Structure formats: C-alpha cells, structure tokens
Coordinates of all heavy atoms in Angstrom, one line a residue:
M11 N 24.8 1.9 21.1 CA 24.2 0.7 21.7 C 23.1 1.1 22.7 O 23.3 2.0 23.4 CB 25.4 0.0 22.4 CG 24.9 -1.3 23.1 SD 26.2 -2.2 23.9 CE 27.2 -2.7 22.6
K12 N 22.1 0.4 22.7 CA 21.0 0.6 23.6 C 21.3 0.2 25.0 O 22.1 -0.7 25.2 CB 19.7 -0.2 23.2 CG 19.1 0.3 21.9 CD 17.8 -0.4 21.6 CE 17.2 -0.1 20.3 NZ 17.1 1.2 19.9
R13 N 20.7 0.9 26.0 CA 20.8 0.5 27.4 C 19.5 -0.1 27.8 O 18.4 0.4 27.4 CB 21.2 1.7 28.3 CG 22.6 2.2 28.0 CD 23.0 3.2 29.1 NE 22.8 2.8 30.5 CZ 23.6 1.9 31.1 NH1 24.6 1.4 30.6 NH2 23.3 1.6 32.4
L14 N 19.5 -1.2 28.5 CA 18.3 -1.9 28.9 C 18.2 -2.0 30.4 O 19.2 -2.0 31.1 CB 18.3 -3.3 28.3 CG 18.4 -3.4 26.8 CD1 18.4 -4.9 26.4 CD2 17.2 -2.7 26.1
R15 N 17.0 -2.1 30.9 CA 16.7 -2.4 32.3 C 15.9 -3.7 32.3 O 14.9 -3.8 31.6 CB 15.9 -1.3 33.0 CG 15.6 -1.7 34.5 CD 14.7 -0.6 35.2 NE 15.4 0.6 35.3 CZ 15.0 1.8 34.8 NH1 13.8 1.8 34.2 NH2 15.7 2.9 35.0
V16 N 16.3 -4.6 33.2 CA 15.5 -5.8 33.3 C 15.0 -5.9 34.8 O 15.7 -5.5 35.7 CB 16.4 -7.1 33.0 CG1 17.6 -7.3 33.9 CG2 15.5 -8.4 33.1
E17 N 13.8 -6.2 34.9 CA 13.2 -6.5 36.2 C 12.7 -7.9 36.2 O 12.0 -8.3 35.2 CB 12.0 -5.5 36.4 CG 12.4 -4.1 36.3 CD 11.1 -3.1 36.4 OE1 10.3 -3.4 37.3 OE2 11.0 -2.3 35.6
F18 N 12.9 -8.7 37.3 CA 12.5 -10.1 37.3 C 12.2 -10.6 38.6 O 12.7 -10.1 39.6 CB 13.6 -10.9 36.6 CG 14.9 -11.0 37.3 CD1 15.1 -12.1 38.2 CD2 15.9 -10.1 37.2 CE1 16.3 -12.2 39.0 CE2 17.0 -10.2 37.9 CZ 17.2 -11.2 38.8
T19 N 11.4 -11.6 38.7 CA 11.1 -12.4 39.9 C 11.1 -13.9 39.4 O 10.8 -14.2 38.3 CB 9.8 -12.1 40.5 OG1 8.7 -12.3 39.6 CG2 9.8 -10.6 41.0
T20 N 11.4 -14.8 40.4 CA 11.2 -16.2 40.2 C 10.3 -16.8 41.2 O 10.1 -16.2 42.3 CB 12.6 -16.9 40.3 OG1 13.1 -16.7 41.6 CG2 13.6 -16.4 39.3
E21 N 9.6 -17.8 40.8 CA 8.6 -18.5 41.7 C 8.9 -20.0 41.7 O 9.5 -20.5 40.7 CB 7.2 -18.2 41.1 CG 6.8 -16.8 41.2 CD 5.4 -16.5 40.7 OE1 4.5 -17.3 41.0 OE2 5.2 -15.5 40.1
P22 N 8.5 -20.7 42.7 CA 7.6 -20.3 43.7 C 8.3 -19.5 44.8 O 9.5 -19.6 45.0 CB 7.1 -21.6 44.3 CG 8.2 -22.6 44.0 CD 8.8 -22.1 42.7
F23 N 7.6 -18.7 45.5 CA 8.1 -17.8 46.6 C 8.2 -18.7 47.8 O 7.4 -19.6 48.1 CB 7.1 -16.7 46.9 CG 7.0 -15.7 45.8 CD1 5.8 -15.5 45.1 CD2 8.1 -14.9 45.4 CE1 5.7 -14.6 44.1 CE2 8.0 -14.0 44.4 CZ 6.8 -13.8 43.7
D24 N 9.1 -18.3 48.7 CA 9.2 -18.8 50.0 C 9.6 -17.6 50.9 O 10.7 -17.1 50.8 CB 10.3 -19.9 50.1 CG 10.4 -20.5 51.5 OD1 10.0 -19.9 52.5 OD2 10.9 -21.6 51.6
L25 N 8.7 -17.2 51.8 CA 9.0 -16.0 52.6 C 10.0 -16.2 53.7 O 10.5 -15.3 54.3 CB 7.7 -15.4 53.1 CG 6.7 -14.9 52.0 CD1 5.5 -14.4 52.7 CD2 7.4 -13.8 51.2
D26 N 10.2 -17.5 54.1 CA 11.1 -17.8 55.2 C 12.5 -17.9 54.8 O 13.4 -17.5 55.5 CB 10.7 -19.2 55.8 CG 9.3 -19.1 56.5 OD1 9.0 -18.0 57.0 OD2 8.6 -20.1 56.5
E27 N 12.8 -18.4 53.6 CA 14.2 -18.6 53.1 C 14.2 -18.5 51.6 O 13.3 -19.0 50.9 CB 14.7 -20.0 53.5 CG 16.1 -20.2 53.2 CD 16.6 -21.6 53.7 OE1 16.1 -22.0 54.7 OE2 17.5 -22.1 53.1
A28 N 15.2 -17.8 51.0 CA 15.3 -17.6 49.6 C 15.5 -19.0 48.9 O 16.4 -19.7 49.3 CB 16.4 -16.7 49.2
P29 N 14.6 -19.4 48.0 CA 14.8 -20.7 47.3 C 16.0 -20.7 46.4 O 16.5 -19.6 46.0 CB 13.5 -20.9 46.5 CG 12.7 -19.6 46.6 CD 13.4 -18.7 47.6
E30 N 16.5 -21.8 46.1 CA 17.7 -22.0 45.3 C 17.6 -21.2 44.0 O 18.5 -20.5 43.5 CB 18.1 -23.4 45.1 CG 19.3 -23.6 44.2 CD 20.6 -23.1 44.9 OE1 20.6 -23.0 46.1 OE2 21.6 -22.9 44.2
H31 N 16.5 -21.3 43.3 CA 16.3 -20.6 42.0 C 16.4 -19.1 42.1 O 17.0 -18.5 41.2 CB 15.0 -21.0 41.3 CG 13.8 -20.8 42.1 ND1 13.2 -19.5 42.2 CD2 13.0 -21.6 42.9 CE1 12.1 -19.6 43.0 NE2 12.0 -20.8 43.4
A32 N 16.0 -18.6 43.2 CA 16.1 -17.1 43.4 C 17.5 -16.7 43.7 O 18.0 -15.7 43.2 CB 15.2 -16.7 44.6
V33 N 18.2 -17.5 44.5 CA 19.6 -17.2 44.8 C 20.5 -17.3 43.5 O 21.3 -16.5 43.2 CB 20.2 -18.2 45.8 CG1 21.7 -18.1 46.0 CG2 19.5 -18.0 47.1
V34 N 20.2 -18.3 42.7 CA 20.9 -18.5 41.4 C 20.7 -17.3 40.5 O 21.6 -16.7 39.9 CB 20.5 -19.8 40.7 CG1 20.9 -19.9 39.3 CG2 21.1 -21.0 41.5
A35 N 19.4 -16.9 40.3 CA 19.1 -15.8 39.5 C 19.8 -14.5 39.9 O 20.3 -13.7 39.1 CB 17.6 -15.6 39.4
R36 N 19.8 -14.3 41.2 CA 20.4 -13.1 41.8 C 21.9 -13.1 41.5 O 22.6 -12.1 41.2 CB 20.1 -12.9 43.3 CG 18.7 -12.5 43.5 CD 18.5 -12.4 45.0 NE 17.0 -12.5 45.2 CZ 16.5 -12.9 46.3 NH1 17.2 -13.2 47.4 NH2 15.2 -13.0 46.5
D37 N 22.5 -14.3 41.7 CA 24.0 -14.5 41.5 C 24.3 -14.1 40.1 O 25.4 -13.5 39.8 CB 24.4 -15.9 41.8 CG 24.5 -16.1 43.3 OD1 24.4 -15.2 44.1 OD2 24.6 -17.3 43.7
V38 N 23.5 -14.6 39.1 CA 23.7 -14.3 37.7 C 23.9 -12.8 37.5 O 24.8 -12.3 36.9 CB 22.7 -14.9 36.8 CG1 22.8 -14.4 35.4 CG2 22.8 -16.4 36.8
V39 N 22.9 -12.0 37.9 CA 22.9 -10.6 37.6 C 24.0 -9.9 38.4 O 24.6 -8.9 38.0 CB 21.6 -9.9 37.8 CG1 20.6 -10.4 36.8 CG2 21.0 -10.0 39.2
Q40 N 24.3 -10.3 39.7 CA 25.3 -9.7 40.4 C 26.7 -10.0 39.9 O 27.6 -9.1 40.0 CB 25.2 -10.2 41.9 CG 24.0 -9.6 42.6 CD 23.9 -10.0 44.0 OE1 24.2 -11.2 44.3 NE2 23.5 -9.2 44.9
N41 N 26.9 -11.1 39.2 CA 28.2 -11.4 38.6 C 28.3 -11.0 37.2 O 29.4 -11.2 36.6 CB 28.5 -12.9 38.8 CG 28.6 -13.3 40.3 OD1 29.3 -12.6 41.0 ND2 28.1 -14.4 40.7
A42 N 27.3 -10.5 36.6 CA 27.3 -10.1 35.2 C 27.9 -8.7 35.1 O 28.0 -8.0 36.1 CB 25.9 -10.1 34.6
A43 N 28.3 -8.3 33.9 CA 28.9 -6.9 33.7 C 27.7 -5.9 33.5 O 27.6 -5.4 32.5 CB 29.8 -6.9 32.5
L44 N 26.9 -5.7 34.6 CA 25.8 -4.9 34.5 C 26.0 -3.7 35.5 O 26.7 -3.8 36.5 CB 24.5 -5.6 34.9 CG 24.2 -6.8 34.0 CD1 23.0 -7.6 34.5 CD2 24.0 -6.4 32.5
D45 N 25.2 -2.7 35.3 CA 25.2 -1.5 36.2 C 24.0 -1.5 37.1 O 22.9 -2.1 36.7 CB 25.1 -0.2 35.3 CG 26.1 -0.2 34.2 OD1 27.2 -0.7 34.4 OD2 25.8 0.4 33.2
A46 N 24.0 -0.8 38.2 CA 22.8 -0.6 39.0 C 22.0 -1.8 39.3 O 20.8 -1.8 39.2 CB 22.0 0.5 38.3
V47 N 22.7 -2.9 39.8 CA 22.0 -4.1 40.2 C 21.3 -3.9 41.5 O 22.0 -3.4 42.5 CB 22.9 -5.3 40.2 CG1 22.3 -6.5 40.8 CG2 23.5 -5.5 38.8
D48 N 20.1 -4.2 41.6 CA 19.3 -4.1 42.9 C 18.5 -5.3 43.1 O 17.7 -5.7 42.3 CB 18.4 -2.8 42.8 CG 17.6 -2.6 44.2 OD1 18.2 -3.0 45.2 OD2 16.5 -2.1 44.1
V49 N 18.9 -6.1 44.2 CA 18.2 -7.3 44.5 C 17.3 -7.1 45.7 O 17.7 -6.4 46.7 CB 19.1 -8.5 44.6 CG1 19.8 -8.8 43.3 CG2 20.1 -8.3 45.7
G50 N 16.2 -7.7 45.7 CA 15.3 -7.6 46.9 C 14.4 -8.9 47.0 O 14.4 -9.7 46.1
P51 N 13.6 -9.0 48.1 CA 12.8 -10.2 48.3 C 11.7 -10.3 47.3 O 11.2 -11.4 47.1 CB 12.3 -10.0 49.7 CG 12.4 -8.5 50.0 CD 13.5 -8.0 49.2
F52 N 11.2 -9.2 46.7 CA 10.0 -9.3 45.9 C 10.3 -8.9 44.4 O 9.4 -8.8 43.6 CB 8.9 -8.5 46.4 CG 8.5 -8.9 47.8 CD1 8.8 -8.1 48.9 CD2 7.9 -10.1 48.0 CE1 8.4 -8.6 50.2 CE2 7.5 -10.5 49.3 CZ 7.8 -9.8 50.4
G53 N 11.6 -8.6 44.1 CA 11.9 -8.3 42.7 C 13.3 -7.8 42.6 O 13.9 -7.5 43.6
N54 N 13.9 -7.9 41.4 CA 15.2 -7.6 41.2 C 15.3 -6.7 39.9 O 14.5 -6.9 39.0 CB 16.1 -8.9 41.0 CG 15.8 -9.8 42.1 OD1 16.4 -9.7 43.2 ND2 15.0 -10.9 41.8
T55 N 16.3 -5.8 39.9 CA 16.5 -5.0 38.7 C 18.0 -4.9 38.4 O 18.8 -5.0 39.3 CB 15.9 -3.6 38.8 OG1 16.6 -2.9 39.9 CG2 14.4 -3.6 39.0
A56 N 18.3 -4.7 37.1 CA 19.6 -4.5 36.7 C 19.6 -3.7 35.4 O 18.6 -3.8 34.6 CB 20.4 -5.8 36.5
E57 N 20.6 -2.9 35.2 CA 20.7 -2.1 34.0 C 22.1 -2.3 33.4 O 23.1 -2.6 34.1 CB 20.6 -0.6 34.3 CG 19.2 -0.2 34.9 CD 19.1 1.2 35.2 OE1 20.1 2.0 34.9 OE2 18.1 1.6 35.9
G58 N 22.1 -2.1 32.0 CA 23.4 -2.1 31.4 C 23.3 -2.1 29.9 O 22.1 -2.0 29.3
P59 N 24.4 -2.2 29.2 CA 24.4 -2.3 27.7 C 23.5 -3.5 27.3 O 23.5 -4.5 27.9 CB 25.8 -2.4 27.3 CG 26.6 -1.9 28.5 CD 25.8 -2.2 29.7
S60 N 22.9 -3.4 26.1 CA 21.9 -4.4 25.7 C 22.6 -5.8 25.6 O 22.0 -6.8 26.0 CB 21.3 -4.0 24.4 OG 22.3 -3.8 23.4
E61 N 23.7 -5.9 25.0 CA 24.4 -7.2 24.9 C 24.6 -7.9 26.2 O 24.3 -9.1 26.4 CB 25.7 -7.1 24.1 CG 25.5 -6.7 22.7 CD 24.7 -7.7 21.9 OE1 24.9 -8.9 22.1 OE2 23.8 -7.3 21.1
Q62 N 25.0 -7.1 27.2 CA 25.3 -7.7 28.6 C 24.0 -8.1 29.3 O 23.8 -9.1 29.9 CB 26.1 -6.7 29.5 CG 27.5 -6.7 29.1 CD 27.9 -5.8 28.0 OE1 27.0 -5.2 27.3 NE2 29.2 -5.5 27.8
V63 N 22.9 -7.2 29.1 CA 21.6 -7.5 29.7 C 21.0 -8.8 29.1 O 20.6 -9.7 29.8 CB 20.7 -6.3 29.6 CG1 19.3 -6.7 30.1 CG2 21.2 -5.2 30.5
L64 N 21.0 -8.8 27.8 CA 20.4 -10.0 27.1 C 21.2 -11.3 27.4 O 20.6 -12.3 27.6 CB 20.4 -9.7 25.6 CG 19.5 -8.6 25.2 CD1 19.6 -8.3 23.7 CD2 18.0 -8.9 25.5
A65 N 22.5 -11.2 27.5 CA 23.3 -12.4 27.9 C 22.9 -12.8 29.3 O 22.8 -14.0 29.6 CB 24.8 -12.1 27.8
A66 N 22.8 -11.9 30.2 CA 22.5 -12.2 31.6 C 21.1 -12.8 31.7 O 20.8 -13.7 32.5 CB 22.6 -10.9 32.5
V67 N 20.1 -12.2 30.9 CA 18.7 -12.8 31.0 C 18.7 -14.2 30.5 O 18.1 -15.1 31.1 CB 17.8 -11.9 30.1 CG1 16.5 -12.6 29.8 CG2 17.6 -10.6 30.8
T68 N 19.4 -14.5 29.4 CA 19.5 -15.9 28.9 C 20.1 -16.8 30.0 O 19.5 -17.9 30.2 CB 20.4 -15.9 27.6 OG1 19.8 -15.1 26.6 CG2 20.5 -17.3 27.1
E69 N 21.1 -16.4 30.6 CA 21.8 -17.2 31.7 C 20.8 -17.4 32.9 O 20.7 -18.5 33.4 CB 23.1 -16.7 32.1 CG 23.8 -17.5 33.1 CD 25.2 -17.0 33.5 OE1 25.7 -16.0 33.0 OE2 25.8 -17.7 34.4
L70 N 20.2 -16.3 33.3 CA 19.3 -16.4 34.5 C 18.1 -17.3 34.2 O 17.7 -18.0 35.1 CB 19.0 -15.1 35.1 CG 17.8 -14.3 34.6 CD1 16.5 -14.7 35.2 CD2 18.0 -12.8 34.9
L71 N 17.6 -17.3 33.0 CA 16.5 -18.1 32.6 C 16.9 -19.6 32.7 O 16.2 -20.4 33.3 CB 15.9 -17.8 31.3 CG 15.1 -16.5 31.1 CD1 14.8 -16.2 29.7 CD2 13.8 -16.6 31.9
R72 N 18.0 -19.9 32.1 CA 18.5 -21.3 32.0 C 18.8 -21.8 33.4 O 18.3 -22.9 33.9 CB 19.7 -21.4 31.2 CG 19.4 -21.4 29.7 CD 20.7 -21.7 28.9 NE 20.4 -21.6 27.5 CZ 21.0 -21.0 26.6 NH1 22.1 -20.3 26.9 NH2 20.7 -21.0 25.3
R73 N 19.6 -21.0 34.2 CA 20.0 -21.5 35.5 C 18.9 -21.5 36.5 O 18.9 -22.4 37.4 CB 21.2 -20.6 35.9 CG 22.4 -20.9 35.0 CD 23.7 -20.3 35.5 NE 24.0 -20.7 36.9 CZ 24.7 -19.9 37.7 NH1 25.2 -18.8 37.3 NH2 24.9 -20.3 39.0
S74 N 18.0 -20.5 36.5 CA 17.0 -20.5 37.6 C 15.9 -21.6 37.3 O 15.4 -22.3 38.2 CB 16.3 -19.2 37.7 OG 15.7 -18.8 36.5
L75 N 15.6 -21.9 36.0 CA 14.7 -23.0 35.7 C 15.4 -24.4 36.1 O 14.7 -25.2 36.6 CB 14.3 -23.0 34.2 CG 13.4 -21.8 33.8 CD1 13.3 -21.7 32.3 CD2 12.1 -21.9 34.5
D76 N 16.7 -24.5 35.8 CA 17.4 -25.7 36.2 C 17.4 -25.9 37.7 O 17.5 -27.0 38.2 CB 18.8 -25.7 35.7 CG 18.9 -26.0 34.2 OD1 17.9 -26.4 33.6 OD2 20.0 -25.7 33.6
A77 N 17.4 -24.8 38.5 CA 17.4 -24.8 39.9 C 16.0 -24.9 40.6 O 15.9 -24.8 41.8 CB 18.1 -23.5 40.5
G78 N 15.0 -25.1 39.7 CA 13.7 -25.4 40.3 C 12.6 -24.3 40.2 O 11.5 -24.5 40.7
A79 N 12.9 -23.2 39.5 CA 11.9 -22.2 39.3 C 10.8 -22.8 38.4 O 11.0 -23.5 37.5 CB 12.5 -21.0 38.6
T80 N 9.5 -22.5 38.8 CA 8.4 -22.9 38.0 C 7.8 -21.8 37.1 O 7.0 -22.0 36.3 CB 7.3 -23.5 38.9 OG1 6.9 -22.5 39.8 CG2 7.8 -24.8 39.6
R81 N 8.3 -20.6 37.4 CA 7.9 -19.4 36.7 C 9.0 -18.3 36.9 O 9.5 -18.1 38.0 CB 6.6 -18.9 37.2 CG 6.2 -17.5 36.6 CD 4.9 -16.9 37.2 NE 3.9 -17.1 36.2 CZ 2.6 -16.8 36.4 NH1 2.2 -16.4 37.5 NH2 1.8 -17.0 35.4
V82 N 9.3 -17.7 35.8 CA 10.2 -16.5 35.8 C 9.4 -15.4 35.1 O 9.1 -15.5 33.9 CB 11.5 -16.8 35.1 CG1 12.4 -15.5 35.1 CG2 12.2 -18.0 35.7
S83 N 9.2 -14.3 35.8 CA 8.5 -13.2 35.3 C 9.6 -12.1 35.1 O 10.3 -11.8 36.0 CB 7.4 -12.6 36.2 OG 6.5 -13.6 36.4
L84 N 9.6 -11.6 33.8 CA 10.6 -10.5 33.6 C 10.0 -9.5 32.6 O 9.1 -9.8 31.8 CB 11.9 -11.1 33.1 CG 12.0 -11.8 31.8 CD1 12.3 -10.8 30.7 CD2 13.1 -12.8 32.0
Q85 N 10.6 -8.3 32.8 CA 10.3 -7.2 31.9 C 11.6 -6.5 31.5 O 12.4 -6.3 32.3 CB 9.4 -6.2 32.6 CG 9.0 -5.0 31.8 CD 8.0 -4.2 32.5 OE1 7.0 -4.7 33.1 NE2 8.1 -2.9 32.5
V86 N 11.7 -6.3 30.2 CA 12.9 -5.6 29.7 C 12.5 -4.3 29.1 O 11.6 -4.3 28.2 CB 13.7 -6.5 28.7 CG1 14.9 -5.7 28.1 CG2 14.1 -7.8 29.3
N87 N 13.1 -3.2 29.5 CA 12.8 -1.9 28.9 C 14.1 -1.2 28.3 O 15.1 -1.3 28.9 CB 12.3 -0.9 30.0 CG 11.0 -1.4 30.6 OD1 10.0 -1.5 29.8 ND2 10.9 -1.6 31.9
V88 N 13.9 -0.5 27.2 CA 14.9 0.3 26.7 C 14.9 1.6 27.5 O 13.9 2.2 27.6 CB 14.7 0.6 25.2 CG1 15.8 1.5 24.6 CG2 14.7 -0.7 24.4
I89 N 16.1 1.9 28.0 CA 16.1 3.1 28.9 C 17.0 4.2 28.3 O 17.1 5.3 28.9 CB 16.6 2.8 30.3 CG1 17.9 2.1 30.3 CG2 15.5 2.0 31.0 CD1 18.5 1.9 31.7
G90 N 17.6 4.0 27.1 CA 18.4 5.0 26.5 C 19.5 4.4 25.6 O 19.4 3.2 25.3
E91 N 20.4 5.3 25.2 CA 21.5 4.9 24.4 C 22.8 5.2 25.1 O 22.9 6.2 25.8 CB 21.5 5.7 23.1 CG 20.3 5.5 22.2 CD 20.3 4.2 21.4 OE1 21.4 3.7 21.1 OE2 19.2 3.7 21.1
D92 N 23.8 4.3 25.0 CA 25.1 4.6 25.5 C 25.8 5.6 24.7 O 25.6 5.7 23.4 CB 26.0 3.3 25.5 CG 25.7 2.4 26.7 OD1 25.3 3.0 27.8 OD2 26.0 1.2 26.7
E93 N 26.5 6.5 25.3 CA 27.3 7.5 24.6 C 28.6 6.7 24.0 O 29.2 6.0 24.8 CB 27.8 8.6 25.5 CG 26.6 9.5 25.9 CD 27.0 10.6 26.8 OE1 28.2 10.9 26.8 OE2 26.1 11.2 27.4
E94 N 28.9 7.0 22.8 CA 30.1 6.3 22.2 C 31.1 7.3 21.9 O 30.9 8.4 21.6 CB 29.7 5.5 21.0 CG 28.7 4.3 21.4 CD 28.4 3.4 20.2 OE1 29.3 3.3 19.3 OE2 27.3 3.0 20.2

C-alpha cells in the first residue's frame, strides 16, 4: 500500500483568529488515522496509508467548504510504500 503526504491550506486567511473552516480542516486530520500530523498557521501536513489520507482529504474538503472556505489548496505526494 502506498504512503501519502498531504499538505493543505484553507482560505480566506485571518491572521487574528483561526477561521472556522481552518479549525474544521485541522480537526479532520488530527482525528483521522494518520501519522505525523503537523498543523500551523500557514499550512498543514499529514502522512499515512493512502486509503486513510484519501478519506481524510475527502472529509476535509467537504467540511471546510461547508464551514465557509472559499479556496482549499492541497498537494498530495506519494512518499513510499508501507511494509507488509
């Protein structure tokens, strides 16, 4: 099974307080079965098995758009294969 890394941001930005769409997107990846989750004010990353990453990406897109995001930028990279 492939391992993936997703990097994402949501917009619009608010430097004073994290907007609801950003909080929702971060919650999705933090609560998913992913490895190496790193959240920050200007971008977020998470890694894991492809099925879990793709499921989390689908959920974060739906939920962050529903929470008011006007743009979600993301990049998904294959970073290797899980040992079985």
